Amino acid sequence: MAIGVGKGGRLFNLHTKDSTYQMYADEYGILLHTYYGRRIDEENLSDLIFHADVGFSGNPPEAVGDRTYSLDCLPQELPSDGVGDYRESCVALLHKDGSMAADYRFEGYELMDSSYKVAGMPSLYDNEEEKGETLVITMREKVSHVVVRLLYGVFEQENVITRSVQVENYGENEIVLSKCLSCCLDFQYGEYDLITFVGRHTLERSPERNRVGRTKLEIGSLRGTSSHQYNPAMILCAPEATEDFGDCYGLCLVYSSNFTACAQKDQRGQTRVLMGIQPNHFSFLLKKGEVFDAPQVILSYSDSGLAKLSHQYHKILREHMCRGKYQCAKRPVLLNNWEATYFDFNKEKLISLGEQAAELGIEMLVLDDGWFGKRDDDNSGLGDWFANEKKLGSSLKELGDRIHALGMKFGLWFEPEMISENSNLYRTHPDWAFMIPGREPNRARNQLVLDMSRDDVREYLLERMTDILEHAPIDYVKWDVNRSLCDIYSHKYAGNRNGEVYHRFILGVYDLLEHLLERFPDILLEGCSGGGGRFDAAMLYYSPQIWCSDNTDAVNRLYIQYGTSFFYPISSMGAHVSAVPNHQTARITSFRTRGHVALSGSFGYELDLNKITDEEREMVKEQIAEFHKYHSLIHEGTYYRITPPGGRFCAWEFVDEKKDHALQTLVMTSAEGNPLPVHTIVKGLSPDKDYHCSANNQIHSGRTWMGAGLTLSAIPGEYESVLIEWNAMGKK
Ligand code: GLA
């Protein structure tokens, strides 16, 4: 059993292969968090807690007379709110009488031999190789009729523990949930850094590392999506932690909407880390018998650095979050027409692109924005999901059939959650768009947002999408969302329930995605939000690949894909070769380098094949051959960050499970006169096997390669790249 229960049902040890998470319900029913770290034995560690009389930190009624017992100082799983723990709380309540106290005490527990599910939202699921175990701890609010169930999942072999929270009102009075975070992690001792992944549109997920102190470090989103600006995943680690060394704790939220995540030291130097739904613009009314489910947080611990932590996340997300036909299967190499044509296309142009693509070995043509309604630019048409046959010069069926006849698959772009004011849908249903009565709404990309919490809106979208997908041969859908939400007001939840709408919006999105996939299980879905604005674990449940960024510049992509790799599998990152000068940065890089960078993702092209040279056409063929050759190594292998971007060169590596093959990609990012040698390190080989290296034709043991590294015999020019292979002898 991965979950150990002792001390009369009050001591809980969650064991994974290499870690232990421990809790203890003390004599007053406070659920103490006593340990999370390297795997240990099942011994009660509540004696690690140092009790002291701390000025201005009071004592709960049970402890009267004992000034050393204070909620304000104890490490806890579910901190109380408004009753003496002055640190940030997790689950806050507004009672009928206007008071706001919440004081949770241990009541009991339950064990299950499978993973728990979170109602209406994605969560890690069991597969044939590994089933999770679940511990449910019930905490009762002292006075009101509210119970909070703390859900813990354990994936022992994956070194993963999950957390979620369920709040139930079983009393007669309505209660307002004014905050419901999914996870509190208290660390009594130690110094920590917090690594967050921050950015903006076209430059998503750059790691930012800060020391945790008494000044709160906090990230979050209020945009209704997980956002380009702050990704809902972060790492708490020892200040000395590197790729290969030190304690690291990952927290990854399975949620695609407003979130908060923070870390802060308290007055005694203890660190509290929290993650969950953003409390701003949130409140949820719970009537008698109603239950609120908070999204799952995936925790993972590594005792040996960031690389191991990433490996654990890649594996759990690929094997227990991504689903469907394309979860692990090879995805078709695609050509997307967006940067090739933008809105300016018709059947002839698309077929000509398809013919060129088929000849070169590309396997799918994706028709991006502009095929529906009246949409020749981004100012109109969203919501009118009817093919514009006049513009196309054919039906989607005819076009799809022509593409299929070329031996290719056919994909289509949608942006279901949005509506243009200049659309028939808006003219018919203006109340379907978010807008606060009496206020002029904010427009972004000149579009408004549909109220996805409404059943009628979702029914319309499902009907439209089903009709399109049923009547044309479509193998792939790119699901986009191209603005941040605001001006939230739902006619359905008018009055005091509008605080529920951001959350109900994303539940609506999940519901529509689920229905669509139920109906079309074989369709490959690619998530997108102006590139990577909704790149999160929850979306991976529906779309095993997500367009990583609208920025296709190979050098900017080094940063974006590097940052994305800390949590998300390589197979999940949509990456395309595009034209130069690059449309976002105007930078010129070689065709080879663009290919090498895009190969380390879900590979494709996004340029006008009619405009490339003969030499480049040959390179497309070579790149596709490389994609097929290295596909399983890149998508299923173990990934190592070798050097971060920003130095003289950037390199990363893949090693197969048996450690017979390794592939390193190295991109030079600067040039200099009288250059110094380029020396790179090698990781993940088997010390006792001998390997041949393609770069210098030398054979050494894995131990030697990993100890001494490799010096390139020639120095690549600026923005040039090389692929270097190590093959175990006899395994080539
Ligand atoms: C977003 C996407 C792009 C493209 C456009 C179409 O920006 O990220 O790839 O689909 O929308 O409008």
Side-chain angles (χ1 to χ4, degrees):
M1 281 293 280
I3 302 176
V5 182
K7 292 265 173 218
R10 298 180 85 89
L11 179 68
F12 304 95
N13 280 283
L14 314 180
H15 296 295
T16 73
K17 202 163 45 123
D18 305 320
S19 70
T20 298
Y21 186 109
Q22 192 190 82
M23 301 165 268
Y24 177 64
D26 75 5
E27 62 199 294
Y28 305 135
I30 297 299
L31 188 61
L32 302 171
H33 174 77
T34 45
Y35 180 79
Y36 187 24
R38 200 161 292 187
R39 186 163 174 147
I40 55 162
D41 298 326
E42 295 191 4
E43 288 150 30
N44 187 355
L45 289 175
S46 55
D47 56 0
L48 287 177
I49 299 171
F50 180 71
H51 292 273
D53 181 356
V54 176
F56 289 83
S57 290
N59 322 109
E62 299 90 330
V64 75
D66 178 3
R67 291 198 188 186
T68 69
Y69 189 98
S70 173
L71 297 179
D72 200 23
C73 302
L74 294 170
Q76 292 163 71
E77 288 295 301
L78 178 63
S80 58
D81 186 54
V83 293
D85 185 342
Y86 297 94
R87 297 167 293 180
E88 179 93 39
S89 67
C90 260
V91 179
L93 306 173
L94 172 62
H95 303 283
K96 200 178 170 212
D97 65 2
S99 64
M100 290 182 273
D103 193 349
Y104 305 104
R105 302 302 165 107
F106 176 79
E107 187 172 86
Y109 73 95
E110 220 182 297
L111 293 171
M112 291 172 352
D113 64 359
S114 59
S115 291
Y116 64 89
K117 289 192 169 55
V118 182
M121 273 178 275
S123 55
L124 293 178
Y125 63 84
D126 294 337
N127 65 20
E128 274 164 23
E129 276 84 56
E130 190 173 7
K131 250 173 98 180
E133 292 177 33
T134 299
L135 166 70
V136 184
I137 294 184
T138 303
M139 305 289 288
R140 188 174 295 276
E141 208 284 297
K142 243 175 149 182
V143 175
S144 59
H145 297 96
V146 168
V147 288
V148 176
R149 282 181 279 274
L150 302 176
L151 296 115
Y152 297 86
V154 184
F155 285 87
E156 190 176 3
Q157 291 313 311
E158 317 294 343
N159 282 325
V160 160
I161 287 169
T162 67
R163 292 197 54 176
S164 177
V165 163
Q166 219 179 51
V167 183
E168 181 177 345
N169 176 14
Y170 64 93
E172 293 301 327
N173 292 333
E174 290 180 350
I175 210 150
V176 175
L177 190 58
S178 49
K179 180 183 195 183
C180 189
L181 304 188
S182 303
C183 169
C184 170
L185 260 187
D186 277 349
F187 293 86
Q188 294 174 76
Y189 307 108
E191 291 294 314
Y192 297 98
D193 281 356
L194 185 73
I195 306 175
T196 53
F197 298 88
V198 305
R200 59 181 188 270
H201 178 225
T202 74
L203 270 180
E204 299 90 339
R205 293 175 294 283
S206 288
E208 188 171 279
R209 186 165 177 162
N210 291 293
R211 181 65 43 88
V212 178
R214 292 188 188 175
T215 310
K216 190 177 184 184
L217 295 175
E218 183 167 16
I219 56 161
S221 167
L222 255 172
R223 297 170 177 274
T225 57
S226 40
S227 90
H228 300 87
Q229 287 75 7
Y230 304 98
N231 196 259
M234 64 186 192
I235 299 167
L236 190 78
C237 62
E240 63 277 11
T242 63
E243 284 291 338
D244 310 303
F245 177 79
D247 284 342
C248 301
Y249 301 86
L251 294 95
C252 174
L253 186 65
V254 186
Y255 196 55
S256 314
S257 182
N258 296 353
F259 76 95
T260 184
C262 65
Q264 186 177 27
K265 272 188 179 176
D266 70 6
Q267 56 179 336
R268 298 175 84 199
Q270 306 182 110
T271 298
R272 175 165 286 182
V273 184
L274 298 162
M275 190 175 244
I277 294 179
Q278 165 71 253
N280 285 329
H281 289 257
F282 171 86
S283 67
F284 215 96
L285 186 73
L286 288 181
K287 295 186 183 157
K288 185 178 180 183
E290 286 184 344
V291 173
F292 182 84
D293 290 88
Q296 184 174 65
V297 172
I298 304 172
L299 299 172
S300 191
Y301 164 76
S302 155
D303 62 357
S304 50
L306 298 161
K308 181 177 176 194
L309 193 74
S310 295
H311 299 161
Q312 290 168 179
Y313 276 102
H314 291 182
K315 188 149 190 292
I316 197 86
L317 290 175
R318 247 173 87 76
E319 294 178 5
H320 296 270
M321 184 60 77
C322 296
R323 297 180 296 170
K325 180 174 163 190
Y326 287 100
Q327 177 189 1
C328 296
K330 204 194 248 187
R331 324 255 170 81
V333 176
L334 65 83
L335 171 69
N336 182 304
N337 77 309
W338 179 241
E339 287 196 18
T341 67
Y342 294 103
F343 290 102
D344 181 18
F345 56 79
N346 55 24
K347 182 178 73 178
E348 282 71 40
K349 247 193 197 176
L350 294 167
I351 290 173
S352 147
L353 278 177
E355 282 167 350
Q356 304 277 334
E359 222 181 281
L360 301 177
I362 294 175
E363 297 158 314
M364 176 160 74
L365 180 76
V366 176
L367 173 51
D368 210 280
D369 194 354
W371 56 268
F372 52 90
K374 189 190 160 316
R375 184 129 170 119
D376 293 322
D377 55 36
D378 56 13
N379 293 313
S380 62
L382 289 172
D384 294 343
W385 301 107
F386 296 87
N388 185 341
E389 297 188 358
K390 200 162 155 235
K391 170 173 177 176
L392 283 171
S394 84
S395 65
L396 279 176
K397 169 154 173 41
E398 193 191 329
L399 179 61
D401 284 343
R402 291 287 297 274
I403 300 298
H404 274 200
L406 296 169
M408 294 175 79
K409 295 184 188 301
F410 181 49
L412 203 59
W413 180 96
F414 285 90
E415 194 181 357
E417 297 148 68
M418 296 291 151
I419 182 166
S420 305
E421 282 160 279
N422 185 2
S423 68
N424 291 333
L425 187 67
Y426 185 79
R427 285 183 279 276
T428 322
H429 295 289
D431 58 322
W432 282 12
F434 281 136
M435 231 186 276
I436 304 173
R439 284 179 201 270
E440 178 84 355
N442 183 75
R443 278 108 183 157
R445 215 188 186 204
N446 210 6
Q447 62 198 53
L448 297 176
V449 183
L450 282 170
D451 180 355
M452 298 293 291
S453 72
R454 291 174 66 136
D455 303 338
D456 47 3
V457 170
R458 296 199 304 277
E459 277 158 20
Y460 165 78
L461 292 170
L462 186 61
E463 186 277 319
R464 277 296 79 227
M465 294 182 82
T466 303
D467 181 60
I468 300 271
L469 300 181
E470 259 176 1
H471 292 101
I474 293 163
D475 309 284
Y476 157 111
V477 164
K478 178 172 169 188
W479 181 300
D480 210 342
V481 50
N482 275 322
R483 63 159 287 178
S484 304
L485 279 57
C486 63
D487 301 294
I488 295 302
Y489 181 89
S490 173
H491 293 274
K492 186 170 172 195
Y493 297 99
N496 63 354
R497 302 202 72 157
N498 256 280
E500 302 176 14
V501 175
Y502 271 112
H503 182 61
R504 290 189 183 275
F505 174 90
I506 202 66
L507 293 183
V509 173
Y510 294 150
D511 176 73
L512 179 58
L513 279 158
E514 194 63 47
H515 277 93
L516 196 76
L517 287 178
E518 241 168 54
R519 175 68 191 77
F520 301 100
D522 288 343
I523 278 192
L524 168 59
L525 231 121
E526 176 151 1
C528 180
S529 171
R534 202 158 65 182
F535 205 121
D536 56 60
M539 289 313 295
L540 290 177
Y541 192 63
Y542 308 102
S543 52
Q545 64 190 55
I546 300 176
W547 183 224
C548 206
S549 177
D550 270 350
N551 189 339
T552 55
D553 170 60
V555 176
N556 279 184
R557 273 290 181 130
L558 297 176
Y559 291 80
I560 297 164
Q561 292 174 200
Y562 169 82
T564 307
S565 78
F566 281 83
F567 281 90
Y568 305 106
I570 305 307
S571 57
S572 69
M573 300 183 208
H576 301 167
V577 175
S578 63
V580 290
N582 179 268
H583 292 195
Q584 293 78 38
T585 62
R587 193 195 319 261
I588 295 178
T589 53
S590 71
F591 207 83
R592 181 183 314 281
T593 300
R594 281 175 270 155
H596 285 167
V597 174
L599 266 183
S600 295
S602 263
F603 185 62
Y605 291 83
E606 183 145 348
L607 42 69
D608 189 345
L609 294 173
N610 294 301
K611 293 187 182 148
I612 63 174
T613 64
D614 286 348
E615 198 191 331
E616 286 171 337
R617 296 172 70 79
E618 286 312 305
M619 288 180 77
V620 172
K621 289 187 198 160
E622 281 166 31
Q623 287 169 347
I624 291 174
E626 277 171 348
F627 165 78
H628 291 298
K629 177 172 175 202
Y630 297 126
H631 167 266
S632 61
L633 184 55
I634 292 176
H635 283 208
E636 289 153 29
T638 308
Y639 166 87
Y640 294 90
R641 291 171 290 269
I642 299 293
T643 51
R648 208 172 143 226
F649 65 87
C650 175
W652 61 94
E653 190 188 311
F654 303 93
V655 183
D656 75 328
E657 205 183 339
K658 290 189 181 149
K659 303 190 176 194
D660 286 335
H661 306 291
L663 177 74
Q664 188 167 133
T665 313
L666 186 151
V667 183
M668 288 303 287
T669 44
S670 71
E672 58 193 24
N674 192 8
L676 300 174
V678 172
H679 178 265
T680 183
I681 56 170
V682 188
K683 293 189 177 183
L685 304 180
S686 167
D688 297 323
K689 288 184 183 170
D690 286 334
Y691 295 85
H692 170 266
C693 174
S694 64
N696 62 359
N697 225 5
Q698 297 295 308
I699 296 167
H700 293 304
S701 69
R703 185 176 293 103
T704 301
W705 283 119
M706 289 191 289
L710 163 78
T711 300
L712 293 187
S713 45
I715 294 171
E718 189 180 34
Y719 304 148
E720 290 299 335
S721 60
V722 282
L723 291 183
I724 308 159
E725 265 187 80
W726 282 265
N727 285 295
M729 296 307 290
K731 305 282 180 181
K732 209 161 179 193

